[in-house]
Amino acid sequence: MSKIIAVWGGKHSGKTTFAVNLACALSKRNKLVGLISSNLTYGELQTFLGQEVPQEKGLFAALYTENPNVGEKFTDYAESKNLFFLSVPTRYSGLLDDNVTLEEVEQLINSASLAFDLLVVDGAVEVNNPLSSVGLWLADTIFTLHRPSIAAQMWQIGVADFVRELHLAEKQSHILLAPNGEFDDKAYRSLTELPFVCELPYLKRAGELENAGTPLYFFKDRLCRRYAKVLEQIAAKICGGEKQ
């Protein structure tokens, strides 16, 4: 079973949507799940999960407070007793992200991996983000999201040296988001020549639901159920069995 799972992708690839909903799916399998955002300036997870992170909790408290139980700095997700998330606090002052070091992040992720059964790290587009790069390096499995476009292909080319230097390719599973009509998925497959393990449906209402703080996994319209079904299949492979 994978212990640390990283989610990665280019801009507008749907990676944070996938990371949040995968964490929800895993938490429903009787697993204690920690979800970490690598966004150092804005609390994205607060939007997706519809909750605030108080000043005394959150990413910077976990990084800079000498507390052996890093799990206490995660925020409980109200809709699932097994899901906890770590994001920058909803309100904070100072450029705290300038002080984040690779060593601090490595210690944080290793400590969090002991506190939870499964740890999901939502990576960043930028390869110089310390939380994202360390999360990718420590991950057992990396799910890389692709929304077919020329920009997505250029991002894939741009990170090729980074992938090679950190030996990430052997840990990557590529996931294709069904196109919304703006770009042909067959053309993208041909351009990238990547093996895609599965395809996620295009959800027109995704932005609306996310702004309302409603994970797609818990919304029961037809397309969201299709999206959730793919997540269930992935969660089953991660956990090595059927849903408990």
Side-chain angles (χ1 to χ4, degrees), residues 3 5 16 38 47 49 53 77 88 94 143 205 228 232 236-237:
K3 180 72 173 181
I5 301 146
T16 301
S38 62
T47 301
L49 298 173
V53 174
Y77 177 47
V88 297
F143 292 109
R205 297 190 63 189
E232 288 287 358
K237 290 181 180 178

Side-chain angles (χ1 to χ4, degrees), residues 177-196:
L177 273 72
N180 58 4
E182 296 179 358
F183 198 89
D184 180 40
D185 63 324
K186 291 182 179 179
Y188 187 77
R189 290 174 186 269
S190 177
L191 286 169
T192 59
E193 298 182 338
L194 292 171
F196 293 99

Side-chain angles (χ1 to χ4, degrees), residues 64-77:
Y64 304 137
T65 303
E66 293 184 7
N67 186 340
N69 187 4
V70 71
E72 293 181 353
K73 301 305 178 184
F74 282 67
T75 300
D76 305 23
Y77 177 47

Side-chain angles (χ1 to χ4, degrees), residues 39-51:
N39 191 323
L40 298 176
T41 57
Y42 166 67
E44 283 182 303
L45 297 186
Q46 284 91 306
T47 301
F48 281 78
L49 298 173
Q51 293 182 215

Side-chain angles (χ1 to χ4, degrees), residues 6-226:
V7 179
W8 201 29
K11 194 173 182 180
H12 304 308
S13 64
K15 62 180 179 55
T16 301
T17 298
F18 179 83
V20 168
N21 287 281
L22 177 63
C24 290
L26 291 168
S27 73
K28 291 300 182 182
R29 306 184 75 84
N30 201 28
K31 300 293 182 184
L32 200 62
V33 180
L35 171 63
I36 300 178
S37 171
S38 62
N39 191 323
L40 298 176
T41 57
Y42 166 67
E44 283 182 303
L45 297 186
Q46 284 91 306
T47 301
F48 281 78
L49 298 173
Q51 293 182 215
E52 292 196 357
V53 174
Q55 193 76 26
E56 66 273 14
K57 288 195 173 188
L59 178 63
F60 299 120
L63 283 168
Y64 304 137
T65 303
E66 293 184 7
N67 186 340
N69 187 4
V70 71
E72 293 181 353
K73 301 305 178 184
F74 282 67
T75 300
D76 305 23
Y77 177 47
E79 299 300 321
S80 177
K81 65 178 182 179
N82 292 326
L83 179 56
F84 303 81
F85 67 97
L86 187 69
S87 180
V88 297
T90 303
R91 298 177 180 85
Y92 76 93
S93 60
L95 299 176
L96 298 176
D97 54 302
D98 286 347
N99 300 320
V100 177
T101 68
L102 297 176
E103 292 78 9
E104 289 167 337
V105 172
E106 182 178 1
Q107 182 177 354
L108 166 64
I109 293 178
N110 283 329
S111 297
S113 71
L114 298 176
F116 298 98
D117 297 321
L118 294 164
L119 192 66
V120 179
V121 180
D122 180 25
V125 174
E126 304 82 7
V127 297
N128 61 346
N129 179 297
L131 213 154
S132 178
S133 58
V134 173
L136 291 165
W137 176 50
L138 293 178
D140 304 300
T141 300
I142 300 170
F143 292 109
T144 305
L145 278 288
H146 299 257
R147 187 184 300 278
S149 67
I150 294 299
Q153 183 209 8
M154 294 305 295
W155 177 83
Q156 185 68 25
I157 294 171
V159 300
D161 288 345
F162 178 79
V163 169
R164 184 170 53 253
E165 289 170 5
L166 268 66
H167 305 285
L168 303 182
E170 57 267 29
K171 300 191 291 185
Q172 282 184 296
S173 291
H174 297 278
I175 297 176
L176 188 70
L177 273 72
N180 58 4
E182 296 179 358
F183 198 89
D184 180 40
D185 63 324
K186 291 182 179 179
Y188 187 77
R189 290 174 186 269
S190 177
L191 286 169
T192 59
E193 298 182 338
L194 292 171
F196 293 99
V197 297
C198 63
E199 181 175 311
L200 289 166
Y202 168 67
L203 299 177
K204 188 175 182 179
R205 297 190 63 189
E208 173 192 343
L209 293 171
E210 288 160 1
N211 285 328
T214 304
L216 307 179
Y217 182 79
F218 294 121
F219 198 75
K220 299 305 180 183
D221 73 358
R222 180 175 59 85
L223 283 178
C224 286
R225 286 199 301 268
R226 282 180 55 196

